[in-house]
């Protein structure tokens, strides 16, 4: 194998998140893991300064940790208005762990059917993993002509096998920039099927109608909106728990019933990460809860889409249907994907402390940059990007 050592490539072009010497502050638009709100990051730092043991050193069975765990769960329940007939679990293995945990918990037999709505990178990945453990039927959300993933398919009765153990969707396709601002309602004849939602990248950004939408399981890896990698929250409707519900092959660490019965302490949970989620939920509560957070999220996304839509085509975004545009992850290209201008944009913005617009993903570089506007990004942060984009467009659209 040949390895080429590139020494003169600008750090911005390889996804560097460092601060350029010229930049006073750094604004992280990365798709995750990413920054948490400044107040939360301060709270984390303070927790290391107080006397006694931090959650990094506490036994998970110590009363001090039990208090942290109870606090995180009760605050999450309040902020996200989670009804009492749902269990809140903290699991290992990230979003990908849940891709496997879902069929292993909800399908007792490998011949059991699960329906997957595939309208982007993450739902495809969830579906592909589930195929190892159950019999998957797919509702394909790609455009029949172009094959592109730019929409969310209508959920019609005839596409959903009534025998499905669950119907799976991703409420925010992080890579593709497609979001369901509200969960869909299943057709009446299919409402007995529990809805399973990957909310990894939009959890806490809008209210969830748990009962009305028929949510059976909703999970979110922590590293986008609520904390750090190493922890995934899974919220499970209690009627889906039970002794013989899961596949006999479901590993203990993934088994919802086992972990629920053990009060999240069947094995050692990610103790510090659980405390951080608690700090984040405290912050959300102080900032007015989930509805206020949704208003902030709408305002941040609007500011950015406005620049794109008013740029006379200098900037482009793939999702035309505004009601499906993600407020969390906003893909945009420059002059139709002009490589030279894109690199110039990346370098100039990076030098002003704007980072994370191009991270290296397993899905390739592509034409689009992406601004992720999670809880750690403020309206002021968005204004900095918006001002930069307006200026860059003015300076670089001559002769077009
Ligand atoms: C990031 C992400 C995942 C992957 O989570 P890991 O913790 O890396 O396994 C899954 N689904 C969505 C929607 C994501 O954005």
């Amino acid at each position: 194998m040949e390895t080429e050592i590139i020494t003169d490539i600008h750090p911005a072009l390889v996804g560097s998140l460092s601060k350029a010497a010229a930049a006073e502050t750094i604004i992280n638009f990365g798709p995750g893991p990413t920054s948490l709100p400044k107040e939360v990051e301060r709270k984390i730092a303070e927790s290391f300064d107080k006397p006694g043991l931090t959650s990094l050193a506490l036994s998970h069975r110590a009363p001090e940790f039990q208090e942290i765990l109870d606090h995180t769960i009760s605050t999450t329940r309040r902020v996200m208005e989670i009804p009492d007939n749902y269990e809140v679990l903290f699991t290992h293995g990230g979003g990908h762990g849940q891709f496997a945990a879902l069929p292993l918990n909800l399908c007792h037999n490998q011949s059991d059917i699960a329906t997957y709505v595939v309208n982007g990178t993450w739902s495809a990945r969830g579906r592909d993993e589930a195929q190892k453990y159950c019999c998957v039927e797919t509702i394909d959300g790609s455009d029949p002509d172009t094959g592109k993933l730019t929409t969310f398919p209508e959920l019609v009765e005839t596409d959903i096998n009534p025998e499905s153990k669950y119907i799976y969707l991703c409420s925010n396709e992080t890579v593709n920039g497609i979001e369901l601002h509200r969960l869909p309602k299943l057709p009446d004849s299919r409402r007995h099927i529990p809805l399973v939602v990957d909310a990894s990248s939009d959890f806490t950004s809008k209210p969830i109608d748990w009962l009305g939408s028929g949510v059976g399981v909703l999970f979110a890896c922590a590293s986008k909106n609520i904390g750090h990698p190493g922890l995934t929250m899974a919220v499970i409707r209690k009627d889906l728990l039970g002794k013989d519900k899961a596949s006999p092959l479901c590993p203990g660490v993934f088994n919802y019933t086992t972990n629920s019965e053990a009060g999240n302490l069947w094995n050692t949970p990610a103790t510090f990460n659980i405390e951080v989620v608690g700090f984040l939920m405290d912050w959300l509560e102080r900032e007015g809860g989930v509805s206020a957070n949704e208003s902030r999220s709408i305002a941040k996304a609007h500011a950015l889409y406005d620049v794109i839509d008013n740029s006379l085509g200098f900037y482009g975004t793939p999702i035309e249907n505004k009601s499906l545009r993600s407020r969390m992850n906003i893909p945009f290209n420059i002059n139709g994907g002009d490589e030279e201008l894109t690199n110039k944009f990346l370098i100039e913005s990076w030098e002003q402390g704007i980072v994370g617009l191009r991270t290296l993903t397993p899905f390739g570089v592509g034409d689009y940059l992406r601004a992720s506007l999670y809880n750690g990004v403020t309206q002021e942060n968005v204004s900095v990007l918006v001002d930069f984009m307006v200026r860059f467009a003015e300076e670089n659209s001559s002769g077009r």
Side-chain angles (χ1 to χ4, degrees):
M1 215 169 67
E2 255 180 69
T3 20
E4 199 185 337
I5 300 172
I6 304 168
T7 48
D8 57 351
I9 193 155
H10 192 283
L13 302 182
V14 290
S16 164
L17 303 173
S18 304
K19 187 158 83 175
E24 267 175 43
T25 51
I26 188 160
I27 308 177
N28 189 359
F29 291 101
T34 187
S35 308
L36 295 174
K38 283 282 167 290
E39 294 87 332
V40 176
E41 291 187 338
R42 259 198 301 278
K43 183 86 189 168
I44 294 168
E46 278 167 18
S47 77
F48 288 100
D49 268 342
K50 63 174 200 229
L53 300 174
T54 73
S55 58
L56 285 170
L58 283 175
S59 159
H60 58 298
R61 306 205 185 273
E64 290 80 5
F65 180 70
Q66 186 66 51
E67 212 172 286
I68 290 171
L69 177 62
D70 291 346
H71 173 81
T72 299
I73 292 178
S74 59
T75 322
T76 304
R77 281 189 179 282
R78 274 200 312 278
V79 169
M80 291 312 298
E81 295 166 8
I82 301 172
D84 288 343
N85 62 324
Y86 286 81
E87 183 71 291
V88 176
L89 295 182
F90 294 107
T91 74
H92 296 281
H96 285 79
Q98 290 308 299
F99 294 165
L102 281 159
L104 285 166
N105 276 279
L106 302 185
C107 298
H108 187 79
N109 302 311
Q110 214 174 344
S111 57
D112 285 347
I113 294 163
T115 299
Y116 276 71
V117 183
V118 173
N119 73 316
T121 305
W122 288 116
S123 45
R125 227 162 144 111
R127 186 265 318 266
D128 293 348
E129 186 69 7
Q131 258 159 353
K132 298 176 188 168
Y133 309 107
C134 69
C135 196
V136 166
E137 295 184 2
T138 299
I139 299 177
D140 184 355
S142 63
D143 184 298
D145 298 326
T146 63
K148 282 191 177 156
L149 294 159
T150 53
T151 185
F152 190 87
E154 208 188 324
L155 301 179
V156 294
E157 191 176 63
T158 46
D159 290 343
I160 306 170
N161 189 322
E163 300 294 316
S164 301
K165 293 291 177 191
Y166 60 95
I167 173 158
Y168 179 104
L169 58 85
C170 175
S171 52
N172 182 61
E173 278 289 359
T174 320
V175 176
N176 310 72
I178 304 168
E179 179 176 345
L180 295 170
H181 298 147
R182 287 295 179 267
L183 292 174
K185 285 219 172 17
L186 298 179
D188 283 345
S189 65
R190 299 293 184 269
R191 298 215 65 202
H192 60 283
I193 305 172
L195 191 67
V196 167
V197 183
D198 176 359
S200 288
S201 53
D202 58 338
F203 190 59
T204 72
S205 74
K206 61 200 168 200
I208 293 162
D209 183 0
W210 299 90
L211 297 171
S213 304
V215 175
V217 181
L218 182 142
F219 69 92
C221 63
S223 60
K224 312 289 165 68
N225 263 314
I226 61 169
H228 297 138
L231 183 76
T232 302
M233 186 180 282
V235 183
I236 297 128
R237 212 174 59 208
K238 286 181 180 163
D239 62 281
L240 299 173
L241 301 172
K243 217 172 166 3
D244 294 316
K245 290 259 164 83
S247 156
L249 292 177
C250 182
V253 286
F254 282 165
N255 190 302
Y256 297 150
T257 304
T258 304
N259 286 281
S260 161
E261 284 175 351
N264 266 301
L265 298 172
W266 185 73
N267 76 321
T268 315
T271 50
F272 172 69
N273 304 47
I274 289 175
E275 185 168 27
V276 169
V277 171
F279 292 158
L280 188 284
M281 293 295 166
D282 288 340
W283 172 81
L284 272 173
E285 200 163 42
R286 280 197 306 275
E287 296 292 318
V290 69
S291 297
N293 204 38
E294 180 174 47
S295 304
R296 287 193 292 274
S297 182
I298 291 172
K300 287 189 289 180
H302 269 182
L304 207 48
Y305 282 117
D306 275 354
V307 177
I308 297 167
D309 289 338
N310 295 326
S311 69
L312 304 171
F314 185 75
Y315 298 113
T317 191
I319 311 304
E320 279 167 24
N321 181 345
K322 291 188 182 176
S323 66
L324 286 176
R325 282 180 172 180
S326 176
R327 301 164 180 160
M328 295 284 108
N329 313 93
I330 300 174
F332 63 96
N333 67 8
I334 296 156
N335 208 13
D338 180 324
E339 200 181 318
E340 208 175 305
L341 266 189
T342 304
N343 287 347
K344 187 169 184 229
F345 183 100
L346 277 172
I347 291 169
E348 288 183 12
S349 56
W350 186 85
E351 285 177 346
Q352 300 194 18
I354 297 169
V355 305
L357 296 174
R358 174 182 281 167
T359 42
L360 306 180
T361 79
F363 317 113
V365 166
D367 283 350
Y368 288 94
L369 303 180
R370 183 161 43 125
S372 296
L373 311 181
Y374 300 129
N375 285 328
V377 173
T378 65
Q379 184 80 50
E380 293 71 43
N381 294 157
V382 175
S383 299
V384 173
L385 176 59
V386 159
D387 291 347
F388 174 82
M389 287 172 74
V390 170
R391 205 163 356 104
F392 187 85
E394 277 166 13
E395 288 167 8
N396 293 283
S397 35
S398 60
R400 288 189 334 118

